[in-house]
Amino acid sequence: MTDPGDLLLRWVSERGAGALSDVKQGMWWLASTYCPDIEPGAAGRWLRDAVSLGHMDIDWRNRRWSAAPPVLTRLPHARGLAVLAGSRTAAFDDRLDQAVKDGLVELFRVPSARPSRDIPLPVSLIVQFDDEAGLAQWATELGAEYTSCFALQGAALLPPLGLEVRTSAPEFGQPLEQYNLDRREYQPAGRPQGDGLYRLKQREGKRVCQVLRNGEWYETSHEEGVYSVLESRNPEADVLRWLPEKDCGRERFGTLYVDWGYPLPDLHRRVAVMCSGLAPRINAHAENLAYDNVPKAVAIRIADSLGQHLGENDE
Amino acid sequence: MRAAYRRWHEVLSTEFFGADHALRSTVLYVDDEIERQLAELYGIETSLAQAVADELNWGDPERPLFTHVQREDAQWVNSGIEGPPPSLPVLALSVLAATRMASSDGMLRSNFYKRWFQVFDEPLSGYRANKLRRAFEDVAEMWEQLDSWLQETGGLFGTSTVSTDDFYWKIGFPISQALVRGSDRQVLTRFFATTRLRPRNRTEVSGRELLRRLRVWTAGRERHLSPRLMEELSKGADTGETLITSLLRRLADDWDGTLHEPEHGHRRRALGLRLMVADRGRRLDWLAEAVETTPETEVCLPGGRTFTLRKEYGDVYGGLESLRPSPQQLAHGVRLEGEALVLEWVPQEVVLLRMHPYLGEWVSTEYFEPGEQHWILAADSAVGEVRSMVNTLGGRTVRETAAPTVGWKLFKGVRAVNGGAFARTLDRGGAHSYVLEPQIRHRAELSGGLRIATEYRVGSGVAGHFLRGGGPDLLLPASESPDGLVEVVLDGCTEKLRADPRIPFPLRLVPLDEGEHEVGTAQSSQVFTLHDGLHDGLPPGTGMLGYDCNGTAQRKLSEVGDSGAAIRGAYAPDSKRLPRTELVRSDVLEAVLIDHRGSARRVKQQSVPAWMVSRLPEEARGSCLEVEVPEGYVWLVYRTAARWSVRALAAVEDIPDPAPSHDDYAWAHAILSAAERSHAPVWLGYVAAAEAIAGKRGAS
């Protein structure tokens, strides 16, 4: 196994859980030997994609991670395809190879393209099935959990936006940054200037995001903070768009476009990715991410839970 | 023993081995100026040389020249080595002689003995000179005695820096002490701090590496080191241990992380500031690594602002954010002083940066790691030289951009992947080629790698357990052989794997089996293990984090254990009933869903979706037609080119009897198309009902 993406997934799978800093250090070492054009942030982007692909769960705030258990789940309306996500230990890979050899399953290793500034992602393991009961049984034999269709089930479970946990105001005089929604970046702010999303370093050095609304401060993540602010400002911001497929009979399926600067929260991203089992496409020119095979109902659910109306223009 | 000798012994004991030297490295540095100062301060009229000369035994040829001193020494040993040895004035005088060695012909052996004869006012040849030379063997023993006394007293009188080397041996002792005068020691502690040495040299930086860095640090800048030390630094000796390397190593090993500031009671910790290029090269910041024992402290600019520093994630101090690196600071340096800490940036024209593993930003570093990526921040005056240097390095195109401060440029993506080009670049030299020099190691080390288990057995001798395919890099020690080659021993096989030990060897490129391996050189090696995996089941911790679900998922991830009610990875609890999906082969031409009430739903054939065509290999584009089965539909009737078929969508006992309306012709037609394809009684009931409708239509 020499492909860096697969090697990294094997590595996190064998480690099980740990601190984010250790895993980033290992990733950076590997990347520096395999990826000559790597740029800062590559490790973070790889980890975010690994979360979307259902391989890991990451508690960013407390800087820890755990590998996700292996799960077999159907892709929605994808001509009998399922995806095998989660942990891929050596023992698991051996069992899988044996199953393929024994002809128990048709397995395809499908790469997700990433630019050269990024660390390659592990291949997606796409499985062809013709009988759901058989699929579930094979998952159990392999030692994987079975989730009928994560994209649909996860979408139904998406929590609504909400600022619940109050927190203290930033310490006076400490460096503070405010997120500029239009420029899509944090900018230094001398002091809080009205409602918005702020980033600051806490006493113990943790970099956290907080939302200021009506004079109260709330804990948040960057992604949820962005949508919280956007919701109160403009629920029709048109940063999430869905375009139906043009093929006959597939009008209810399409591509979800998410503009740069308005990243989906981890769980929302995972729901969108699990529609195709592949990482989102990066449209550098249009400055957005494209999630394929997203049922319209799922796209609406994602937008609703982020307080946004789903745009449908296909300009 | 005469009074003057005893007096000098007292004075030297107080000055160099007094209580304030406890646990600090001590150097017995005495030159003419210090001798004069001490004589004045303590009111001694006899010179040190005279005091020692008066103790020499020229009269009794049967006994050694230093017989008086040796007798005192023996008594000192017998009475329990209290206080410094009586030989101290002799040793101090030998250092004085060493400091007089003319700089013109360097530290040649003959040069020292000439000075040694001169301090006694003896002719440079003849019987007395020979006797003095021979007697120096006894002086060397006295030096060894001083060294062991300092060690035996556990640092109570200072820690020893008494050093020598194979070449100089006897006279190396005084020469080593003569190299570093008091002011040098102050400058050297600054150097240790700015080169970010760990206290007690915990990372075991070799003497040769220290010498390399010190040369870089002093190149082109006045650091106020004494001319003698500067002269020693400039000497060519690039291989083996020399006086200066062993002395630097000793000073570094004893360095407690504080500045040599007798006036501050040696209290203040010293650290080198780092320069950080953040935000993809858009912002410059100062970065200070945190001192473990000082989680919070204050420092201020000379006569200026005060900054409160607090230890943060990544073991760095926060609190310097408002001090923006300005062109002036870069040109002239920055010094931040506090009661407990001194932070310093020493100006340099070319700054080498490497990715900080925790902060994820580009941070200044002391040495180049071949194979890894670096950035170089260069002042405009050095840009031309740096550009031609990185061009010689070859490999990938280096991007040159404006730096986030006026008068500087950034070179991004500097790395050495081609060993030959790298060696050529270093050999070519140039004013700034030093920034590309890797560390000089004195033994084989392993670095990087993907570790999959922690070694808890102390002293097990195992350097680490790694994932196969993610084996560590081998860092070779500097070559001592004339051809510059290093013989690498891997699992007992010796091979000259590489010509240049400056480039790390990626062990992951060697196909190695699972298990234990030993790699290194004949002199030093490391043991590590490789594994494909360590767990039959899921490793502990897998699935530990998830989103608890209760109707909806929690927004925050938490520890969920084995709870089935949480989203973990792509696992979701069964909270939503999904429509049943039935699959038929994609060569099905038409398909119809049938319920018991007379409804027939036609399923459309679909082309392969565009996303599958563009992203999946052809064979993976799905060979099935997915039919979503709404509630109530119990049969699927479908047609291929060859024939019609029927499939029950529920258990036979769960299929209700048909109850169509009299005009459900489409329903009847679909059933009759596949009438013959099943003989199950419940299907035959549906066929009968369909025939009834069809018959009725035929009758009407």
Side-chain angles (χ1 to χ4, degrees):
Chain A
M1 186 187 285
T2 52
D3 189 79
D6 292 324
L7 195 65
L8 283 176
L9 179 54
R10 161 76 60 86
W11 183 51
V12 294
S13 301
E14 287 291 341
R15 291 188 61 144
L20 212 47
S21 48
D22 293 342
V23 81
K24 276 192 174 177
Q25 192 170 11
M27 291 174 75
W28 193 256
W29 169 80
L30 189 74
S32 68
T33 60
Y34 280 102
C35 318
D37 298 327
I38 189 110
E39 284 185 12
R45 290 192 292 272
W46 190 95
L47 288 168
R48 282 193 156 71
D49 277 332
V51 167
S52 310
L53 289 161
H55 300 318
M56 301 170 80
D57 279 295
I58 299 179
D59 179 356
W60 301 99
R61 200 178 178 87
N62 296 305
R63 307 196 57 83
R64 58 192 182 151
W65 61 273
S66 71
V71 173
L72 186 61
T73 190
R74 286 193 295 115
L75 304 176
H77 224 71
R79 301 170 66 87
L81 296 184
V83 63
L84 194 49
S87 163
R88 279 181 213 164
T89 60
F92 181 83
D93 275 345
D94 285 347
R95 288 199 294 276
L96 186 62
D97 287 347
Q98 193 56 46
V100 172
K101 225 179 268 172
D102 294 346
L104 298 179
V105 67
E106 245 183 300
L107 182 82
F108 307 99
R109 297 173 191 274
V110 184
S112 288
R114 280 291 172 265
S116 61
R117 64 167 188 272
D118 280 335
I119 303 169
L121 291 172
V123 293
S124 291
L125 300 179
I126 304 284
V127 173
Q128 169 77 60
F129 68 99
D130 49 20
D131 163 30
E132 187 169 1
L135 187 71
Q137 194 189 338
W138 177 70
T140 311
E141 286 164 12
L142 189 68
E145 306 218 42
Y146 181 72
T147 291
S148 182
C149 181
F150 181 84
L152 301 179
Q153 287 166 286
L157 290 166
L158 286 178
L161 270 183
L163 296 169
E164 282 167 359
V165 185
R166 293 255 186 96
T167 186
S168 50
E171 214 174 307
F172 181 76
Q174 290 298 309
L176 188 68
E177 296 170 299
Q178 183 171 16
Y179 193 68
N180 182 323
L181 280 175
D182 303 319
R183 300 186 61 167
R184 303 182 302 204
E185 64 181 23
Y186 283 96
Q187 293 175 328
R191 57 192 169 77
Q193 291 158 337
D195 287 2
L197 171 62
Y198 292 85
R199 189 166 69 174
L200 56 136
K201 270 192 199 165
Q202 285 183 329
R203 224 167 202 289
E204 67 275 27
K206 264 189 209 168
R207 208 178 217 196
V208 295
C209 294
Q210 294 184 187
V211 164
L212 174 62
R213 183 179 287 178
N214 301 328
E216 298 283 356
W217 289 90
Y218 299 89
E219 276 185 10
T220 187
S221 65
H222 168 70
E223 291 85 351
E224 285 175 350
V226 167
Y227 281 99
S228 295
V229 173
L230 201 59
E231 180 195 30
S232 61
R233 208 173 279 181
N234 179 10
E236 310 221 20
D238 197 30
V239 296
L240 301 174
R241 281 179 302 283
W242 181 85
L243 265 67
E245 288 177 18
K246 294 192 173 64
D247 302 301
C248 163
R250 290 192 51 89
E251 298 78 11
R252 290 186 296 125
F253 298 85
T255 304
L256 175 66
Y257 295 92
V258 180
D259 281 353
W260 286 4
Y262 304 90
L264 298 178
D266 284 355
L267 195 52
H268 296 70
R269 243 177 24 244
R270 186 178 292 162
V271 165
V273 162
M274 282 299 148
C275 293
S276 65
L278 304 171
R281 286 180 284 120
I282 300 171
N283 291 322
H285 188 63
E287 302 202 334
N288 61 34
L289 290 181
Y291 298 84
D292 285 320
N293 198 41
V294 180
K296 186 173 183 182
V298 169
I300 290 174
R301 189 85 192 88
I302 289 174
D304 278 356
S305 75
L306 295 174
Q308 287 294 305
H309 290 299
L310 189 65
E312 285 191 63
N313 59 342
D314 54 354
E315 288 162 17
Chain B
M1 196 140 277
R2 295 162 202 239
Y5 188 93
R6 290 198 192 285
R7 188 76 184 117
W8 271 112
H9 180 265
E10 270 171 41
V11 167
L12 295 167
S13 298
T14 311
E15 283 293 319
F16 295 98
F17 303 96
D20 57 340
H21 286 83
L23 302 177
R24 297 177 188 287
S25 49
T26 183
V27 179
L28 180 59
Y29 180 88
V30 181
D31 61 10
D32 291 318
E33 192 186 338
I34 289 177
E35 191 217 4
R36 195 169 52 247
Q37 284 171 356
L38 290 178
E40 277 174 20
L41 186 66
Y42 292 94
I44 313 175
E45 285 173 4
T46 313
S47 72
L48 177 63
Q50 190 56 53
V52 175
D54 289 347
E55 298 299 325
L56 295 183
N57 162 40
W58 292 111
D60 181 357
E62 300 283 315
R63 294 183 184 279
L65 198 57
F66 286 102
T67 188
H68 303 319
V69 179
Q70 284 167 308
R71 203 170 47 226
E72 288 274 318
D73 266 348
Q75 274 176 18
W76 171 77
V77 170
N78 288 336
S79 59
I81 59 169
E82 269 180 45
S87 55
L88 212 51
V90 179
L91 303 181
L93 187 64
S94 69
V95 177
L96 182 72
T99 62
R100 287 186 188 172
M101 290 161 76
S103 59
S104 58
D105 49 356
M107 297 265 187
L108 292 178
R109 190 197 301 255
S110 56
N111 193 343
F112 173 78
Y113 283 115
K114 279 185 198 161
R115 307 300 171 233
W116 182 232
F117 307 149
Q118 279 171 349
V119 291
F120 290 107
D121 266 341
E122 296 292 344
L124 301 182
S125 57
Y127 165 76
R128 287 171 77 102
N130 285 341
K131 187 135 187 173
L132 269 172
R133 179 191 287 263
R134 274 197 307 277
F136 203 80
E137 197 149 324
D138 295 333
V139 178
E141 276 177 24
M142 292 171 197
W143 275 110
E144 284 170 346
Q145 191 184 43
L146 176 71
D147 185 40
S148 42
W149 168 71
L150 282 167
Q151 290 187 31
E152 280 165 29
T153 48
L156 207 60
F157 297 90
T159 51
S160 173
T161 57
V162 176
S163 317
T164 188
D165 64 3
D166 292 344
F167 179 70
Y168 284 108
W169 184 57
K170 289 180 284 185
I171 61 170
F173 293 116
I175 295 175
S176 79
Q177 300 293 292
L179 283 176
V180 187
R181 57 164 62 189
S183 60
D184 291 331
R185 302 199 45 215
Q186 180 150 10
V187 179
L188 283 176
T189 51
R190 273 182 64 206
F191 159 68
F192 289 155
T194 51
T195 195
R196 284 179 283 277
L197 202 68
R198 300 278 165 215
R200 308 290 171 210
N201 192 13
R202 275 200 295 273
T203 46
E204 298 188 13
V205 179
S206 72
R208 288 180 58 190
E209 170 64 12
L210 288 168
L211 175 62
R212 185 191 72 75
R213 292 194 199 174
L214 187 56
R215 281 177 177 162
V216 170
W217 193 68
T218 49
R221 292 272 175 187
E222 179 49 73
R223 306 292 188 205
H224 306 291
L225 284 172
S226 62
R228 177 169 298 281
L229 185 56
M230 287 302 291
E231 181 203 357
E232 192 67 14
L233 292 185
S234 65
K235 281 193 186 167
D238 272 332
T239 54
E241 288 297 306
T242 59
L243 265 184
I244 185 72
T245 58
S246 58
L247 183 66
L248 283 173
R249 178 66 199 256
R250 263 201 113 139
L251 287 168
D253 287 356
D254 288 334
W255 184 55
D256 61 359
T258 63
L259 283 179
H260 184 82
E261 296 173 320
E263 69 278 17
H264 281 93
H266 302 283
R267 268 195 326 272
R268 301 200 296 179
R269 285 294 297 268
L271 282 174
L273 268 177
R274 291 194 189 215
L275 199 57
M276 178 160 82
V277 180
D279 255 3
R280 297 176 175 230
R282 288 198 288 259
R283 202 178 76 232
L284 268 188
D285 282 325
W286 291 117
L287 181 75
E289 281 170 341
V291 175
E292 227 167 79
T293 49
T294 315
E296 190 168 331
T297 189
E298 281 190 349
V299 289
C300 56
L301 286 167
R305 278 190 295 160
T306 301
F307 303 88
T308 303
L309 306 180
R310 289 197 191 98
K311 193 174 162 186
E312 289 186 349
Y313 169 75
D315 287 336
V316 297
Y317 283 124
L320 284 179
E321 292 80 358
S322 58
L323 183 69
R324 320 277 343 159
S326 64
Q328 288 73 20
Q329 289 173 359
L330 293 179
H332 304 296
V334 180
R335 196 170 161 91
L336 293 158
E337 294 192 35
E339 284 287 300
L341 189 65
V342 178
L343 296 168
E344 188 177 25
W345 174 260
V346 177
Q348 52 206 75
E349 277 188 301
V350 181
V351 183
L352 183 71
L353 307 150
R354 205 161 78 219
M355 173 62 63
H356 193 284
Y358 293 146
L359 304 176
E361 303 284 10
W362 296 91
V363 173
S364 60
T365 177
E366 295 73 53
Y367 53 87
F368 190 78
E369 278 288 2
E372 277 192 29
Q373 207 178 146
H374 301 76
W375 284 9
I376 292 177
L377 183 67
D380 282 348
S381 54
V383 160
E385 162 74 18
V386 170
R387 191 180 296 134
S388 90
M389 187 171 81
V390 296
N391 286 343
T392 317
L393 207 53
R396 316 279 318 184
T397 321
V398 174
R399 282 156 292 150
E400 190 178 324
T401 63
T405 189
V406 181
W408 293 72
K409 284 240 167 13
L410 257 182
F411 293 82
K412 298 178 176 179
V414 180
R415 64 197 301 241
V417 281
N418 176 340
F422 181 49
R424 268 197 304 283
T425 313
L426 289 178
D427 297 341
R428 174 177 158 268
H432 304 293
S433 66
Y434 63 84
V435 294
L436 296 184
E437 281 177 23
Q439 278 214 90
I440 298 172
R441 294 172 198 88
H442 58 295
R443 61 170 186 232
E445 286 171 31
L446 298 178
S447 84
L450 300 179
R451 290 173 187 266
I452 56 170
T454 314
E455 176 59 60
Y456 292 112
R457 296 168 297 164
V458 177
S460 66
V462 179
H465 307 284
F466 299 88
L467 183 70
R468 196 149 75 119
D473 294 334
L474 173 65
L475 305 172
L476 293 166
S479 170
E480 303 287 337
S481 69
D483 61 359
L485 296 180
V486 175
E487 286 198 334
V488 175
V489 187
L490 177 60
D491 294 333
C493 299
T494 302
E495 210 175 325
K496 289 199 172 181
L497 272 179
R498 143 186 320 284
D500 196 331
R502 294 175 289 195
I503 302 159
F505 183 79
L507 287 170
R508 64 188 163 74
L509 296 184
V510 184
L512 293 173
D513 292 334
E514 280 192 280
E516 192 170 295
H517 299 278
E518 184 168 1
V519 70
T521 60
Q523 289 75 37
S524 67
S525 63
Q526 297 270 301
V527 175
F528 66 99
T529 71
L530 290 177
H531 306 270
D532 284 335
L534 294 173
H535 303 272
D536 261 348
L538 290 176
T542 305
M544 177 183 81
L545 300 171
Y547 298 89
D548 260 320
C549 296
N550 183 16
T552 57
Q554 295 291 314
R555 269 188 292 273
K556 261 191 185 169
L557 206 65
S558 58
E559 277 190 36
V560 291
D562 281 334
S563 155
I567 295 178
R568 291 174 302 153
Y571 173 81
D574 277 329
S575 56
K576 183 186 176 179
R577 203 181 151 84
L578 297 179
R580 177 193 170 130
T581 297
E582 199 63 27
L583 289 158
V584 290
R585 301 202 318 263
S586 61
D587 58 353
V588 164
L589 300 172
E590 59 182 304
V592 185
L593 288 163
I594 306 280
D595 76 352
H596 76 288
R597 294 178 189 278
S599 169
R601 180 184 280 222
R602 193 161 291 277
V603 179
K604 285 187 211 161
Q605 178 54 276
Q606 295 170 359
S607 50
V608 181
W611 73 270
M612 282 194 186
V613 173
S614 66
R615 300 190 70 180
L616 300 185
E618 195 170 353
E619 63 276 16
R621 286 175 197 163
S623 56
C624 292
L625 173 63
E626 262 188 47
V627 181
E628 209 170 89
V629 184
E631 200 66 32
Y633 287 87
V634 288
W635 299 103
L636 177 70
V637 172
Y638 56 95
R639 177 171 71 89
T640 60
R643 62 179 185 183
W644 282 88
S645 299
V646 63
R647 185 189 293 177
L649 299 178
V652 170
E653 58 273 20
D654 294 336
I655 297 179
D657 287 335
S661 304
H662 60 87
D663 56 353
D664 285 330
Y665 300 118
W667 185 86
H669 181 261
I671 290 173
L672 291 176
S673 306
E676 305 294 320
R677 304 307 304 168
S678 169
H679 300 291
V682 63
W683 173 246
L684 294 179
Y686 274 70
V687 173
E691 281 171 344
I693 292 170
K696 205 163 137 194
R697 187 169 64 163
S700 64

